[in-house]
Amino acid sequence: MTSQSQSQTEIEFSKFDSNNEWNEVFQRLRNESSLTNMGEDFSTSQARDPENRRKNRYRDVSPYDHSRVFLLGENDYINASLIQVPEANRKYILTQGPLDHTMCDFWQMTWEQESRAVIMLNRVIEKGTLKCSQYWPLGAEHHHEEEMYFPECGLRVTLTGDQDFKHFTLRTLEIEKMETGAKREVLHFHYTTWPDFGVPSSPNAFLHFLHAVRQTGSLDPDVGPAIIHCSAGIGRSGTFCLVDSCLLMVEEKSTLDCVNVKDALIKMRYYRMGLIQTADQLRFSYQAIIHGSHTILSGHGLSVLEDTFSVNSNNVEGNLPPPPPERVSSLPPAKPAHLPEEVLDLLDPSDTQPPPLPPKKNSPDEILPGGEKWGEEEEEEFDKLIDREEEGEGTEEEEENDPVKLAEERHRLREQRKQETMERIRQMKEKQKKSERCRPKVFFGPKLYFGLAILVGVAGVVIYKYFW
């Protein structure tokens, strides 16, 4: 495609990529937005109030007074901002990952804003650091309660179902106002493979997640704004909002020329500071917008980018994305049900269990039939046999299988071959023993030969004296 037929977004992406200037572009954008957002209109006095400081997860991430979300009650503060994108007819609430003492405020905001969905873009624990409190019930599957009660705001949150996909988990939660008995259903979209200060594994994975959220109507203007959070509520959360709003503009105008990514981000930063935290996140936003736009403009829509599949479901109802046909390879290892979510979040979905270690040489347990030990020579012979047999193995089908199952199968084959080799060695030793038993016995030992030599010598001396 020539530069004449490319959109401004594609030209910028190619230029920044070829010149390796994403860091400079990101820094210029930060400086420009900082100059734009100066003055009294961008004060954060409520966030810096002594009574509210303990409600902020990070000291340098505060909501602007003009765009912060208000709670009903004595203290109306929560670290959350209402983001408005009129060009895309979108509204989002961006907030930090709840603290232990702000979980009640979080659910109160969800109830009061009549939000249809909570979009969580971080894991509870990342790189050994707690990034977000466990603010939703884990359920009996993880040996926890099915509900959580928040008496300060009179709300009860109950887990009614969940569905696991390759890159995210979709939970159905029920919020009940205890005073009146009123209930609402809230969808909890939990993206589990987006690293802190990083980017998703691919635009396809992220765009399918975005499509799943959109398909439920959770971002539509006729429902309350979706609540989007990561740890600080600015990096990954900002990326999500920027990509979604820009792609919506492309859908409405049927062209990518209507989008100016940098201007759109600066406008969004009017409502919350620091949206998109790294140059990599900015670059990924460009990638996702371009890739998603091409798919949309081709007439297929984001649904064709589905690369995830349901691996577990439990009582999830509603207008959910239909799972693609089940695949028999490349499945992620199942998470053990007995582990708590805090531990599960430490596990990367791509992690696999290492194959079992081979037995130690000359171990007391490694005794060959017949009482012989498995020694170093046998181990060396066995390794040579296995190396010869495994050479040339490893087809494309094997490489696509589940790593855990593949490791277990290799270990099973190795143990089987080892038993076969042990049997061969035992048979060889038995054969050797039989051959030794069949050898003719020697009746003349070295002493007999020595005596004969002495006798011959004496006879020679006697003959010599007698004849001479």
Side-chain angles (χ1 to χ4, degrees), residues 438-461:
C438 295
R439 289 178 186 174
K441 294 184 179 180
V442 179
F443 296 99
F444 302 101
K447 292 183 179 180
L448 180 61
Y449 289 112
F450 182 72
L452 290 174
I454 293 176
L455 182 61
V456 172
V458 172
V461 172

mmCIF file with all atom_site columns, all heavy atoms in Angstrom, residues 438-461:
data_model
loop_
_atom_site.group_PDB
_atom_site.id
_atom_site.type_symbol
_atom_site.label_atom_id
_atom_site.label_alt_id
_atom_site.label_comp_id
_atom_site.label_asym_id
_atom_site.label_entity_id
_atom_site.label_seq_id
_atom_site.pdbx_PDB_ins_code
_atom_site.Cartn_x
_atom_site.Cartn_y
_atom_site.Cartn_z
_atom_site.occupancy
_atom_site.B_iso_or_equiv
_atom_site.pdbx_formal_charge
_atom_site.auth_seq_id
_atom_site.auth_comp_id
_atom_site.auth_asym_id
_atom_site.auth_atom_id
_atom_site.pdbx_PDB_model_num
ATOM 1   N N   . CYS A 1 438 ? 28.999 -72.608 30.869 1.00 0.00 ? 438 CYS A N   1
ATOM 2   C CA  . CYS A 1 438 ? 29.222 -73.594 29.805 1.00 0.00 ? 438 CYS A CA  1
ATOM 3   C C   . CYS A 1 438 ? 30.682 -73.727 29.395 1.00 0.00 ? 438 CYS A C   1
ATOM 4   O O   . CYS A 1 438 ? 31.025 -74.602 28.603 1.00 0.00 ? 438 CYS A O   1
ATOM 5   C CB  . CYS A 1 438 ? 28.396 -73.230 28.566 1.00 0.00 ? 438 CYS A CB  1
ATOM 6   S SG  . CYS A 1 438 ? 26.617 -73.346 28.883 1.00 0.00 ? 438 CYS A SG  1
ATOM 7   N N   . ARG A 1 439 ? 31.565 -72.904 29.905 1.00 0.00 ? 439 ARG A N   1
ATOM 8   C CA  . ARG A 1 439 ? 32.978 -72.989 29.526 1.00 0.00 ? 439 ARG A CA  1
ATOM 9   C C   . ARG A 1 439 ? 33.606 -74.248 30.138 1.00 0.00 ? 439 ARG A C   1
ATOM 10  O O   . ARG A 1 439 ? 33.274 -74.635 31.264 1.00 0.00 ? 439 ARG A O   1
ATOM 11  C CB  . ARG A 1 439 ? 33.728 -71.758 30.014 1.00 0.00 ? 439 ARG A CB  1
ATOM 12  C CG  . ARG A 1 439 ? 33.405 -70.499 29.269 1.00 0.00 ? 439 ARG A CG  1
ATOM 13  C CD  . ARG A 1 439 ? 34.160 -69.348 29.879 1.00 0.00 ? 439 ARG A CD  1
ATOM 14  N NE  . ARG A 1 439 ? 33.767 -68.088 29.270 1.00 0.00 ? 439 ARG A NE  1
ATOM 15  C CZ  . ARG A 1 439 ? 34.201 -66.908 29.716 1.00 0.00 ? 439 ARG A CZ  1
ATOM 16  N NH1 . ARG A 1 439 ? 34.999 -66.833 30.769 1.00 0.00 ? 439 ARG A NH1 1
ATOM 17  N NH2 . ARG A 1 439 ? 33.808 -65.809 29.098 1.00 0.00 ? 439 ARG A NH2 1
ATOM 18  N N   . PRO A 1 440 ? 34.574 -74.920 29.419 1.00 0.00 ? 440 PRO A N   1
ATOM 19  C CA  . PRO A 1 440 ? 35.275 -76.093 30.002 1.00 0.00 ? 440 PRO A CA  1
ATOM 20  C C   . PRO A 1 440 ? 36.112 -75.658 31.182 1.00 0.00 ? 440 PRO A C   1
ATOM 21  O O   . PRO A 1 440 ? 36.772 -74.640 31.156 1.00 0.00 ? 440 PRO A O   1
ATOM 22  C CB  . PRO A 1 440 ? 36.154 -76.598 28.837 1.00 0.00 ? 440 PRO A CB  1
ATOM 23  C CG  . PRO A 1 440 ? 36.305 -75.420 27.944 1.00 0.00 ? 440 PRO A CG  1
ATOM 24  C CD  . PRO A 1 440 ? 35.041 -74.646 28.050 1.00 0.00 ? 440 PRO A CD  1
ATOM 25  N N   . LYS A 1 441 ? 36.034 -76.471 32.250 1.00 0.00 ? 441 LYS A N   1
ATOM 26  C CA  . LYS A 1 441 ? 36.771 -76.134 33.464 1.00 0.00 ? 441 LYS A CA  1
ATOM 27  C C   . LYS A 1 441 ? 38.249 -76.406 33.278 1.00 0.00 ? 441 LYS A C   1
ATOM 28  O O   . LYS A 1 441 ? 38.655 -77.358 32.626 1.00 0.00 ? 441 LYS A O   1
ATOM 29  C CB  . LYS A 1 441 ? 36.255 -76.952 34.636 1.00 0.00 ? 441 LYS A CB  1
ATOM 30  C CG  . LYS A 1 441 ? 34.810 -76.583 34.986 1.00 0.00 ? 441 LYS A CG  1
ATOM 31  C CD  . LYS A 1 441 ? 34.360 -77.337 36.227 1.00 0.00 ? 441 LYS A CD  1
ATOM 32  C CE  . LYS A 1 441 ? 32.945 -76.956 36.596 1.00 0.00 ? 441 LYS A CE  1
ATOM 33  N NZ  . LYS A 1 441 ? 32.466 -77.664 37.813 1.00 0.00 ? 441 LYS A NZ  1
ATOM 34  N N   . VAL A 1 442 ? 39.084 -75.642 33.820 1.00 0.00 ? 442 VAL A N   1
ATOM 35  C CA  . VAL A 1 442 ? 40.542 -75.782 33.722 1.00 0.00 ? 442 VAL A CA  1
ATOM 36  C C   . VAL A 1 442 ? 41.032 -76.520 34.966 1.00 0.00 ? 442 VAL A C   1
ATOM 37  O O   . VAL A 1 442 ? 40.822 -76.053 36.092 1.00 0.00 ? 442 VAL A O   1
ATOM 38  C CB  . VAL A 1 442 ? 41.220 -74.406 33.619 1.00 0.00 ? 442 VAL A CB  1
ATOM 39  C CG1 . VAL A 1 442 ? 42.722 -74.563 33.533 1.00 0.00 ? 442 VAL A CG1 1
ATOM 40  C CG2 . VAL A 1 442 ? 40.677 -73.673 32.407 1.00 0.00 ? 442 VAL A CG2 1
ATOM 41  N N   . PHE A 1 443 ? 41.667 -77.686 34.741 1.00 0.00 ? 443 PHE A N   1
ATOM 42  C CA  . PHE A 1 443 ? 42.129 -78.504 35.872 1.00 0.00 ? 443 PHE A CA  1
ATOM 43  C C   . PHE A 1 443 ? 43.567 -78.228 36.213 1.00 0.00 ? 443 PHE A C   1
ATOM 44  O O   . PHE A 1 443 ? 44.065 -78.662 37.246 1.00 0.00 ? 443 PHE A O   1
ATOM 45  C CB  . PHE A 1 443 ? 41.976 -79.987 35.539 1.00 0.00 ? 443 PHE A CB  1
ATOM 46  C CG  . PHE A 1 443 ? 40.536 -80.393 35.355 1.00 0.00 ? 443 PHE A CG  1
ATOM 47  C CD1 . PHE A 1 443 ? 40.004 -80.495 34.084 1.00 0.00 ? 443 PHE A CD1 1
ATOM 48  C CD2 . PHE A 1 443 ? 39.730 -80.649 36.458 1.00 0.00 ? 443 PHE A CD2 1
ATOM 49  C CE1 . PHE A 1 443 ? 38.678 -80.870 33.920 1.00 0.00 ? 443 PHE A CE1 1
ATOM 50  C CE2 . PHE A 1 443 ? 38.417 -81.038 36.287 1.00 0.00 ? 443 PHE A CE2 1
ATOM 51  C CZ  . PHE A 1 443 ? 37.882 -81.157 35.009 1.00 0.00 ? 443 PHE A CZ  1
ATOM 52  N N   . PHE A 1 444 ? 44.321 -77.609 35.308 1.00 0.00 ? 444 PHE A N   1
ATOM 53  C CA  . PHE A 1 444 ? 45.724 -77.339 35.566 1.00 0.00 ? 444 PHE A CA  1
ATOM 54  C C   . PHE A 1 444 ? 45.916 -75.884 35.835 1.00 0.00 ? 444 PHE A C   1
ATOM 55  O O   . PHE A 1 444 ? 45.815 -75.071 34.937 1.00 0.00 ? 444 PHE A O   1
ATOM 56  C CB  . PHE A 1 444 ? 46.584 -77.772 34.356 1.00 0.00 ? 444 PHE A CB  1
ATOM 57  C CG  . PHE A 1 444 ? 46.417 -79.225 34.022 1.00 0.00 ? 444 PHE A CG  1
ATOM 58  C CD1 . PHE A 1 444 ? 45.605 -79.602 32.981 1.00 0.00 ? 444 PHE A CD1 1
ATOM 59  C CD2 . PHE A 1 444 ? 47.057 -80.205 34.775 1.00 0.00 ? 444 PHE A CD2 1
ATOM 60  C CE1 . PHE A 1 444 ? 45.428 -80.932 32.683 1.00 0.00 ? 444 PHE A CE1 1
ATOM 61  C CE2 . PHE A 1 444 ? 46.883 -81.531 34.467 1.00 0.00 ? 444 PHE A CE2 1
ATOM 62  C CZ  . PHE A 1 444 ? 46.065 -81.914 33.427 1.00 0.00 ? 444 PHE A CZ  1
ATOM 63  N N   . GLY A 1 445 ? 46.212 -75.606 37.079 1.00 0.00 ? 445 GLY A N   1
ATOM 64  C CA  . GLY A 1 445 ? 46.415 -74.226 37.466 1.00 0.00 ? 445 GLY A CA  1
ATOM 65  C C   . GLY A 1 445 ? 47.860 -73.812 37.329 1.00 0.00 ? 445 GLY A C   1
ATOM 66  O O   . GLY A 1 445 ? 48.736 -74.610 36.953 1.00 0.00 ? 445 GLY A O   1
ATOM 67  N N   . PRO A 1 446 ? 48.220 -72.609 37.683 1.00 0.00 ? 446 PRO A N   1
ATOM 68  C CA  . PRO A 1 446 ? 49.595 -72.097 37.592 1.00 0.00 ? 446 PRO A CA  1
ATOM 69  C C   . PRO A 1 446 ? 50.570 -72.873 38.469 1.00 0.00 ? 446 PRO A C   1
ATOM 70  O O   . PRO A 1 446 ? 51.719 -73.067 38.088 1.00 0.00 ? 446 PRO A O   1
ATOM 71  C CB  . PRO A 1 446 ? 49.437 -70.646 38.066 1.00 0.00 ? 446 PRO A CB  1
ATOM 72  C CG  . PRO A 1 446 ? 47.996 -70.324 37.821 1.00 0.00 ? 446 PRO A CG  1
ATOM 73  C CD  . PRO A 1 446 ? 47.267 -71.592 38.055 1.00 0.00 ? 446 PRO A CD  1
ATOM 74  N N   . LYS A 1 447 ? 50.131 -73.357 39.651 1.00 0.00 ? 447 LYS A N   1
ATOM 75  C CA  . LYS A 1 447 ? 51.060 -74.081 40.540 1.00 0.00 ? 447 LYS A CA  1
ATOM 76  C C   . LYS A 1 447 ? 51.540 -75.381 39.911 1.00 0.00 ? 447 LYS A C   1
ATOM 77  O O   . LYS A 1 447 ? 52.697 -75.788 40.062 1.00 0.00 ? 447 LYS A O   1
ATOM 78  C CB  . LYS A 1 447 ? 50.380 -74.372 41.866 1.00 0.00 ? 447 LYS A CB  1
ATOM 79  C CG  . LYS A 1 447 ? 50.121 -73.121 42.685 1.00 0.00 ? 447 LYS A CG  1
ATOM 80  C CD  . LYS A 1 447 ? 49.510 -73.474 44.022 1.00 0.00 ? 447 LYS A CD  1
ATOM 81  C CE  . LYS A 1 447 ? 49.262 -72.226 44.862 1.00 0.00 ? 447 LYS A CE  1
ATOM 82  N NZ  . LYS A 1 447 ? 48.654 -72.563 46.173 1.00 0.00 ? 447 LYS A NZ  1
ATOM 83  N N   . LEU A 1 448 ? 50.598 -76.087 39.195 1.00 0.00 ? 448 LEU A N   1
ATOM 84  C CA  . LEU A 1 448 ? 50.969 -77.340 38.548 1.00 0.00 ? 448 LEU A CA  1
ATOM 85  C C   . LEU A 1 448 ? 52.043 -77.114 37.492 1.00 0.00 ? 448 LEU A C   1
ATOM 86  O O   . LEU A 1 448 ? 53.018 -77.869 37.400 1.00 0.00 ? 448 LEU A O   1
ATOM 87  C CB  . LEU A 1 448 ? 49.722 -77.974 37.932 1.00 0.00 ? 448 LEU A CB  1
ATOM 88  C CG  . LEU A 1 448 ? 49.945 -79.323 37.213 1.00 0.00 ? 448 LEU A CG  1
ATOM 89  C CD1 . LEU A 1 448 ? 50.488 -80.379 38.195 1.00 0.00 ? 448 LEU A CD1 1
ATOM 90  C CD2 . LEU A 1 448 ? 48.648 -79.819 36.581 1.00 0.00 ? 448 LEU A CD2 1
ATOM 91  N N   . TYR A 1 449 ? 51.845 -76.053 36.709 1.00 0.00 ? 449 TYR A N   1
ATOM 92  C CA  . TYR A 1 449 ? 52.845 -75.743 35.683 1.00 0.00 ? 449 TYR A CA  1
ATOM 93  C C   . TYR A 1 449 ? 54.183 -75.387 36.306 1.00 0.00 ? 449 TYR A C   1
ATOM 94  O O   . TYR A 1 449 ? 55.250 -75.727 35.792 1.00 0.00 ? 449 TYR A O   1
ATOM 95  C CB  . TYR A 1 449 ? 52.352 -74.592 34.789 1.00 0.00 ? 449 TYR A CB  1
ATOM 96  C CG  . TYR A 1 449 ? 51.209 -75.003 33.876 1.00 0.00 ? 449 TYR A CG  1
ATOM 97  C CD1 . TYR A 1 449 ? 49.944 -74.493 34.071 1.00 0.00 ? 449 TYR A CD1 1
ATOM 98  C CD2 . TYR A 1 449 ? 51.418 -75.912 32.833 1.00 0.00 ? 449 TYR A CD2 1
ATOM 99  C CE1 . TYR A 1 449 ? 48.876 -74.857 33.255 1.00 0.00 ? 449 TYR A CE1 1
ATOM 100 C CE2 . TYR A 1 449 ? 50.371 -76.285 32.021 1.00 0.00 ? 449 TYR A CE2 1
ATOM 101 C CZ  . TYR A 1 449 ? 49.109 -75.760 32.231 1.00 0.00 ? 449 TYR A CZ  1
ATOM 102 O OH  . TYR A 1 449 ? 48.075 -76.139 31.425 1.00 0.00 ? 449 TYR A OH  1
ATOM 103 N N   . PHE A 1 450 ? 54.175 -74.711 37.428 1.00 0.00 ? 450 PHE A N   1
ATOM 104 C CA  . PHE A 1 450 ? 55.424 -74.347 38.108 1.00 0.00 ? 450 PHE A CA  1
ATOM 105 C C   . PHE A 1 450 ? 56.143 -75.593 38.604 1.00 0.00 ? 450 PHE A C   1
ATOM 106 O O   . PHE A 1 450 ? 57.367 -75.740 38.498 1.00 0.00 ? 450 PHE A O   1
ATOM 107 C CB  . PHE A 1 450 ? 55.116 -73.401 39.271 1.00 0.00 ? 450 PHE A CB  1
ATOM 108 C CG  . PHE A 1 450 ? 56.339 -72.936 39.997 1.00 0.00 ? 450 PHE A CG  1
ATOM 109 C CD1 . PHE A 1 450 ? 57.221 -72.032 39.442 1.00 0.00 ? 450 PHE A CD1 1
ATOM 110 C CD2 . PHE A 1 450 ? 56.634 -73.444 41.258 1.00 0.00 ? 450 PHE A CD2 1
ATOM 111 C CE1 . PHE A 1 450 ? 58.344 -71.615 40.129 1.00 0.00 ? 450 PHE A CE1 1
ATOM 112 C CE2 . PHE A 1 450 ? 57.761 -73.033 41.941 1.00 0.00 ? 450 PHE A CE2 1
ATOM 113 C CZ  . PHE A 1 450 ? 58.621 -72.118 41.379 1.00 0.00 ? 450 PHE A CZ  1
ATOM 114 N N   . GLY A 1 451 ? 55.375 -76.582 39.150 1.00 0.00 ? 451 GLY A N   1
ATOM 115 C CA  . GLY A 1 451 ? 55.990 -77.838 39.638 1.00 0.00 ? 451 GLY A CA  1
ATOM 116 C C   . GLY A 1 451 ? 56.598 -78.641 38.506 1.00 0.00 ? 451 GLY A C   1
ATOM 117 O O   . GLY A 1 451 ? 57.686 -79.237 38.656 1.00 0.00 ? 451 GLY A O   1
ATOM 118 N N   . LEU A 1 452 ? 55.879 -78.706 37.384 1.00 0.00 ? 452 LEU A N   1
ATOM 119 C CA  . LEU A 1 452 ? 56.408 -79.431 36.226 1.00 0.00 ? 452 LEU A CA  1
ATOM 120 C C   . LEU A 1 452 ? 57.711 -78.801 35.749 1.00 0.00 ? 452 LEU A C   1
ATOM 121 O O   . LEU A 1 452 ? 58.658 -79.516 35.341 1.00 0.00 ? 452 LEU A O   1
ATOM 122 C CB  . LEU A 1 452 ? 55.377 -79.451 35.103 1.00 0.00 ? 452 LEU A CB  1
ATOM 123 C CG  . LEU A 1 452 ? 54.122 -80.324 35.344 1.00 0.00 ? 452 LEU A CG  1
ATOM 124 C CD1 . LEU A 1 452 ? 53.122 -80.143 34.221 1.00 0.00 ? 452 LEU A CD1 1
ATOM 125 C CD2 . LEU A 1 452 ? 54.526 -81.800 35.439 1.00 0.00 ? 452 LEU A CD2 1
ATOM 126 N N   . ALA A 1 453 ? 57.772 -77.476 35.797 1.00 0.00 ? 453 ALA A N   1
ATOM 127 C CA  . ALA A 1 453 ? 58.999 -76.796 35.361 1.00 0.00 ? 453 ALA A CA  1
ATOM 128 C C   . ALA A 1 453 ? 60.174 -77.174 36.265 1.00 0.00 ? 453 ALA A C   1
ATOM 129 O O   . ALA A 1 453 ? 61.308 -77.408 35.801 1.00 0.00 ? 453 ALA A O   1
ATOM 130 C CB  . ALA A 1 453 ? 58.773 -75.284 35.364 1.00 0.00 ? 453 ALA A CB  1
ATOM 131 N N   . ILE A 1 454 ? 59.914 -77.251 37.572 1.00 0.00 ? 454 ILE A N   1
ATOM 132 C CA  . ILE A 1 454 ? 60.992 -77.623 38.505 1.00 0.00 ? 454 ILE A CA  1
ATOM 133 C C   . ILE A 1 454 ? 61.437 -79.069 38.264 1.00 0.00 ? 454 ILE A C   1
ATOM 134 O O   . ILE A 1 454 ? 62.645 -79.393 38.273 1.00 0.00 ? 454 ILE A O   1
ATOM 135 C CB  . ILE A 1 454 ? 60.513 -77.448 39.960 1.00 0.00 ? 454 ILE A CB  1
ATOM 136 C CG1 . ILE A 1 454 ? 60.282 -75.945 40.233 1.00 0.00 ? 454 ILE A CG1 1
ATOM 137 C CG2 . ILE A 1 454 ? 61.519 -78.020 40.954 1.00 0.00 ? 454 ILE A CG2 1
ATOM 138 C CD1 . ILE A 1 454 ? 59.715 -75.682 41.605 1.00 0.00 ? 454 ILE A CD1 1
ATOM 139 N N   . LEU A 1 455 ? 60.431 -79.946 38.037 1.00 0.00 ? 455 LEU A N   1
ATOM 140 C CA  . LEU A 1 455 ? 60.759 -81.356 37.804 1.00 0.00 ? 455 LEU A CA  1
ATOM 141 C C   . LEU A 1 455 ? 61.620 -81.526 36.563 1.00 0.00 ? 455 LEU A C   1
ATOM 142 O O   . LEU A 1 455 ? 62.595 -82.301 36.547 1.00 0.00 ? 455 LEU A O   1
ATOM 143 C CB  . LEU A 1 455 ? 59.456 -82.150 37.672 1.00 0.00 ? 455 LEU A CB  1
ATOM 144 C CG  . LEU A 1 455 ? 59.626 -83.674 37.481 1.00 0.00 ? 455 LEU A CG  1
ATOM 145 C CD1 . LEU A 1 455 ? 60.347 -84.292 38.694 1.00 0.00 ? 455 LEU A CD1 1
ATOM 146 C CD2 . LEU A 1 455 ? 58.273 -84.337 37.291 1.00 0.00 ? 455 LEU A CD2 1
ATOM 147 N N   . VAL A 1 456 ? 61.238 -80.826 35.504 1.00 0.00 ? 456 VAL A N   1
ATOM 148 C CA  . VAL A 1 456 ? 62.016 -80.902 34.263 1.00 0.00 ? 456 VAL A CA  1
ATOM 149 C C   . VAL A 1 456 ? 63.439 -80.402 34.491 1.00 0.00 ? 456 VAL A C   1
ATOM 150 O O   . VAL A 1 456 ? 64.433 -80.946 33.986 1.00 0.00 ? 456 VAL A O   1
ATOM 151 C CB  . VAL A 1 456 ? 61.328 -80.117 33.141 1.00 0.00 ? 456 VAL A CB  1
ATOM 152 C CG1 . VAL A 1 456 ? 62.225 -80.023 31.906 1.00 0.00 ? 456 VAL A CG1 1
ATOM 153 C CG2 . VAL A 1 456 ? 60.014 -80.783 32.771 1.00 0.00 ? 456 VAL A CG2 1
ATOM 154 N N   . GLY A 1 457 ? 63.557 -79.338 35.279 1.00 0.00 ? 457 GLY A N   1
ATOM 155 C CA  . GLY A 1 457 ? 64.889 -78.774 35.545 1.00 0.00 ? 457 GLY A CA  1
ATOM 156 C C   . GLY A 1 457 ? 65.772 -79.748 36.316 1.00 0.00 ? 457 GLY A C   1
ATOM 157 O O   . GLY A 1 457 ? 66.968 -79.918 36.019 1.00 0.00 ? 457 GLY A O   1
ATOM 158 N N   . VAL A 1 458 ? 65.191 -80.438 37.344 1.00 0.00 ? 458 VAL A N   1
ATOM 159 C CA  . VAL A 1 458 ? 65.966 -81.405 38.139 1.00 0.00 ? 458 VAL A CA  1
ATOM 160 C C   . VAL A 1 458 ? 66.408 -82.582 37.265 1.00 0.00 ? 458 VAL A C   1
ATOM 161 O O   . VAL A 1 458 ? 67.555 -83.066 37.346 1.00 0.00 ? 458 VAL A O   1
ATOM 162 C CB  . VAL A 1 458 ? 65.122 -81.900 39.331 1.00 0.00 ? 458 VAL A CB  1
ATOM 163 C CG1 . VAL A 1 458 ? 65.829 -83.044 40.040 1.00 0.00 ? 458 VAL A CG1 1
ATOM 164 C CG2 . VAL A 1 458 ? 64.873 -80.751 40.291 1.00 0.00 ? 458 VAL A CG2 1
ATOM 165 N N   . ALA A 1 459 ? 65.459 -83.030 36.411 1.00 0.00 ? 459 ALA A N   1
ATOM 166 C CA  . ALA A 1 459 ? 65.802 -84.152 35.531 1.00 0.00 ? 459 ALA A CA  1
ATOM 167 C C   . ALA A 1 459 ? 66.936 -83.773 34.596 1.00 0.00 ? 459 ALA A C   1
ATOM 168 O O   . ALA A 1 459 ? 67.838 -84.587 34.300 1.00 0.00 ? 459 ALA A O   1
ATOM 169 C CB  . ALA A 1 459 ? 64.569 -84.551 34.733 1.00 0.00 ? 459 ALA A CB  1
ATOM 170 N N   . GLY A 1 460 ? 66.936 -82.568 34.146 1.00 0.00 ? 460 GLY A N   1
ATOM 171 C CA  . GLY A 1 460 ? 67.995 -82.126 33.250 1.00 0.00 ? 460 GLY A CA  1
ATOM 172 C C   . GLY A 1 460 ? 69.344 -82.135 33.940 1.00 0.00 ? 460 GLY A C   1
ATOM 173 O O   . GLY A 1 460 ? 70.370 -82.523 33.352 1.00 0.00 ? 460 GLY A O   1
ATOM 174 N N   . VAL A 1 461 ? 69.367 -81.717 35.219 1.00 0.00 ? 461 VAL A N   1
ATOM 175 C CA  . VAL A 1 461 ? 70.636 -81.704 35.961 1.00 0.00 ? 461 VAL A CA  1
ATOM 176 C C   . VAL A 1 461 ? 71.166 -83.127 36.174 1.00 0.00 ? 461 VAL A C   1
ATOM 177 O O   . VAL A 1 461 ? 72.364 -83.410 36.025 1.00 0.00 ? 461 VAL A O   1
ATOM 178 C CB  . VAL A 1 461 ? 70.444 -80.994 37.339 1.00 0.00 ? 461 VAL A CB  1
ATOM 179 C CG1 . VAL A 1 461 ? 71.684 -81.142 38.195 1.00 0.00 ? 461 VAL A CG1 1
ATOM 180 C CG2 . VAL A 1 461 ? 70.113 -79.538 37.088 1.00 0.00 ? 461 VAL A CG2 1
#
